[in-house]
């Protein structure tokens, strides 16, 4: 076999071409891109830098067995979650699909045979109005880092935005009159965010306190763009300081706002459009909390058949 041809078909080189393609097409956010690249390195560590034309049912079975083995996570030896294991299968499937559909490579393993691990459906985590009140009121406004954190949380609640999209914005992107901002989101799609009056009020207050020349909407005290990991850490720590029982993280504000809209009577298609989902099922499964019994009792009143009965 020609050496150059054999190198071309190695999983490492095929995946590199796939990631270059995704990067050029802007179909992945930077956060997703970095995560997929990290998983791909571990994937090659599990199955080896094999010739992609030799991937078959046995390869997939071997990979799944390796994924089921305990691994070191945050310094502890434990099993990967089904969702984490599925990330490996998704990356492999995406690479093979790229080779088949974009490069026209023949003899690629059937994608339909790469079955995901079954994931247990978890209840959607949201914050109550009282928890949001406690969280926001636990943050002072007397220094730039505290005001930045409070403003960021208010903006995430108002826009139901992903943290990556929010931190990609620049100051000049904000429409101070209408509050509508276009941003490139997950999958390279252009999404519209709506900043309400409260979020614009706090943005003005936060920007007025800043002394740097950084164009980013949210910046560090060193004048550089605020990064996702820093924002996540600050929000997580503030949740603990505020004594919030539920885990507080960036994405919970997106889930909280979508559930609040739904239980306020906003139709599901409207919420799905606001979240920039292409599938209503995604909105319903991952972003809407279940109803509690008090709400069931409240809406049970709509089942009134008394007017249909001729009492005798």
């Amino acid at each position: 076999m020609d050496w150059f041809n054999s190198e071309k078909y190695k999983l490492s080189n095929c995946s590199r071409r796939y990631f270059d393609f995704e990067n050029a097409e802007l179909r992945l956010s930077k956060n997703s891109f970095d995560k997929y690249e990290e998983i791909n390195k571990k994937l090659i560590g599990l199955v080896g830098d094999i010739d992609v034309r030799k991937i078959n049912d046995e390869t997939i079975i071997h990979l799944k067995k390796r994924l089921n083995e305990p691994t070191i996570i945050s310094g502890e030896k434990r099993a990967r979650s089904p969702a984490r294991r599925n990330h490996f299968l998704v990356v492999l499937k995406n690479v093979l699909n790229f080779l088949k559909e974009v490069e026209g490579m023949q003899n690629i393993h059937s994608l339909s045979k790469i079955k995901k691990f079954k994931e247990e459906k978890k209840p959607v985590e949201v914050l109550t109005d009282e928890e949001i009140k406690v969280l926001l009121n636990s943050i002072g406004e007397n220094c730039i880092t505290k005001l930045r954190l409070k403003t960021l949380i208010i903006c995430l609640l108002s826009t139901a935005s992903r943290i990556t999209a929010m931190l990609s914005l620049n100051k000049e992107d904000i429409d101070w009159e209408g509050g509508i901002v276009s941003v490139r989101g997950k999958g390279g799609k252009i999404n519209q965010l709506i900043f309400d009056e409260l979020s614009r009020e706090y943005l003005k207050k936060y920007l007025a306190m800043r002394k740097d020349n950084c164009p980013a909407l949210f910046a560090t005290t060193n004048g550089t763009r605020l990064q996702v990991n820093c924002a996540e850490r600050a929000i997580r720590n503030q949740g603990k300081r505020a004594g919030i029982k539920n885990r507080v993280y960036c994405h919970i504000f997106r889930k909280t706002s979508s559930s609040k809209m739904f239980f306020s009577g906003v139709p599901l298609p409207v919420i799905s459009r606001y979240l920039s989902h292409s599938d209503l099922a995604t909105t319903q499964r991952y972003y809407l909390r279940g109803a509690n019994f008090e709400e069931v009792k409240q809406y049970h009143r709509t089942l009134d058949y008394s007017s249909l009965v001729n009492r005798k």
Side-chain angles (χ1 to χ4, degrees):
M1 181 183 294
D2 184 86
W3 184 86
F4 290 103
N5 283 337
S6 63
E7 285 293 306
K8 172 185 176 181
Y9 293 114
K10 279 188 174 181
L11 180 56
S12 59
N13 290 326
C14 290
S15 56
R16 171 47 51 202
R17 297 198 302 276
Y18 161 69
F19 285 121
D20 287 344
F21 172 78
E22 290 286 7
N23 197 30
E25 294 293 319
L26 297 174
R27 298 200 306 181
L28 290 175
S29 68
K30 186 181 185 305
N31 193 43
S32 296
F33 186 86
D34 292 343
K35 182 176 73 174
Y36 277 23
E37 276 203 314
E38 177 195 351
I39 290 172
N40 186 63
K41 290 177 184 176
K42 294 179 180 178
L43 173 65
I44 294 172
L46 291 173
V47 299
D49 198 5
I50 58 177
D51 186 320
V52 293
R53 296 168 299 179
K54 295 180 180 179
I55 293 177
N56 53 28
D57 290 345
E58 289 184 4
T59 312
I60 305 304
I61 292 171
H62 171 71
L63 172 60
K64 285 190 168 184
K65 284 182 178 178
R66 293 296 308 275
L67 290 173
N68 284 330
E69 295 171 358
T71 187
I72 303 299
I73 302 175
S74 301
E76 297 180 13
K77 191 173 185 180
R78 59 177 190 257
R80 296 181 180 90
S81 68
R84 182 69 174 173
R85 281 177 272 164
N86 282 334
H87 287 157
F88 285 81
L89 300 180
V90 167
V91 169
L92 178 59
K93 202 168 183 176
N94 287 350
V95 171
L96 295 180
N97 187 60
F98 161 77
L99 296 174
K100 186 175 182 179
E101 299 297 330
V102 178
E103 293 195 344
M105 195 177 290
Q106 303 298 317
N107 303 321
I108 295 297
H109 183 69
S110 174
L111 301 177
S112 62
K113 291 187 177 181
I114 304 179
K115 303 293 185 183
K116 288 185 177 182
F117 292 92
K118 187 175 181 180
E119 296 183 34
E120 180 183 352
K121 189 179 184 306
K122 297 179 180 179
V124 176
E125 297 176 312
V126 299
L127 297 175
T128 64
D129 283 355
E130 183 59 30
E131 286 173 326
I132 293 171
K133 181 179 179 181
V134 169
L135 177 64
L136 290 175
N137 290 336
S138 71
I139 308 172
E141 300 180 15
N142 58 335
C143 73
I144 190 70
T145 53
K146 291 179 180 179
L147 183 56
R148 181 186 66 198
L149 178 59
K150 191 169 188 175
T151 303
L152 177 59
I153 292 173
I154 289 171
C155 288
L156 289 173
L157 285 167
S158 168
T159 62
S161 167
R162 294 181 177 88
I163 186 64
T164 49
M166 182 63 67
L167 297 186
S168 72
L169 290 173
N170 291 327
K171 291 180 284 188
E172 63 179 16
D173 295 329
I174 303 300
D175 172 9
W176 296 105
E177 293 298 322
I180 299 175
V181 177
S182 295
V183 61
R184 188 176 295 278
K186 190 175 182 180
K189 293 186 293 186
I190 300 298
N191 305 331
Q192 272 77 44
L193 305 180
I194 302 176
F195 288 81
D196 63 9
E197 289 186 11
L198 179 65
S199 57
R200 280 177 278 163
E201 173 192 333
Y202 267 84
L203 277 172
K204 288 177 181 177
K205 189 185 296 188
Y206 161 62
L207 293 175
M209 189 181 283
R210 276 174 53 180
K211 305 299 181 185
D212 61 82
N213 295 318
C214 180
L217 184 61
F218 289 96
T220 66
T221 52
N222 294 326
T224 58
R225 186 178 298 275
L226 184 65
Q227 298 301 306
V228 171
N229 60 338
C230 294
E232 287 178 335
R233 183 168 57 250
I235 286 173
R236 182 172 61 249
N237 291 340
Q238 190 61 41
K240 292 177 181 177
R241 279 194 291 268
I244 306 297
K245 183 175 67 173
N246 285 330
R247 186 169 61 101
V248 180
Y249 51 97
C250 294
H251 215 63
I252 201 170
F253 302 118
R254 182 170 165 86
K255 296 176 181 179
T256 296
S257 291
S258 55
S259 280
K260 187 176 179 67
M261 290 173 77
F262 182 74
F263 284 96
S264 297
V266 179
L268 182 59
V270 175
I271 300 170
S272 187
R273 173 64 183 83
Y274 190 46
L275 297 176
S276 297
H277 289 159
S278 56
D279 185 3
L280 290 177
T282 301
T283 308
Q284 191 165 11
R285 180 176 182 183
Y286 297 107
Y287 290 88
L288 302 182
R289 66 168 176 82
N292 58 49
F293 192 65
E294 289 303 313
E295 290 164 332
V296 173
K297 288 196 295 183
Q298 176 186 343
Y299 286 101
H300 184 265
R301 300 190 188 104
T302 62
L303 298 177
D304 184 2
Y305 298 106
S306 59
S307 62
L308 305 180
V309 178
N310 290 326
R311 293 179 175 83
K312 298 179 182 179

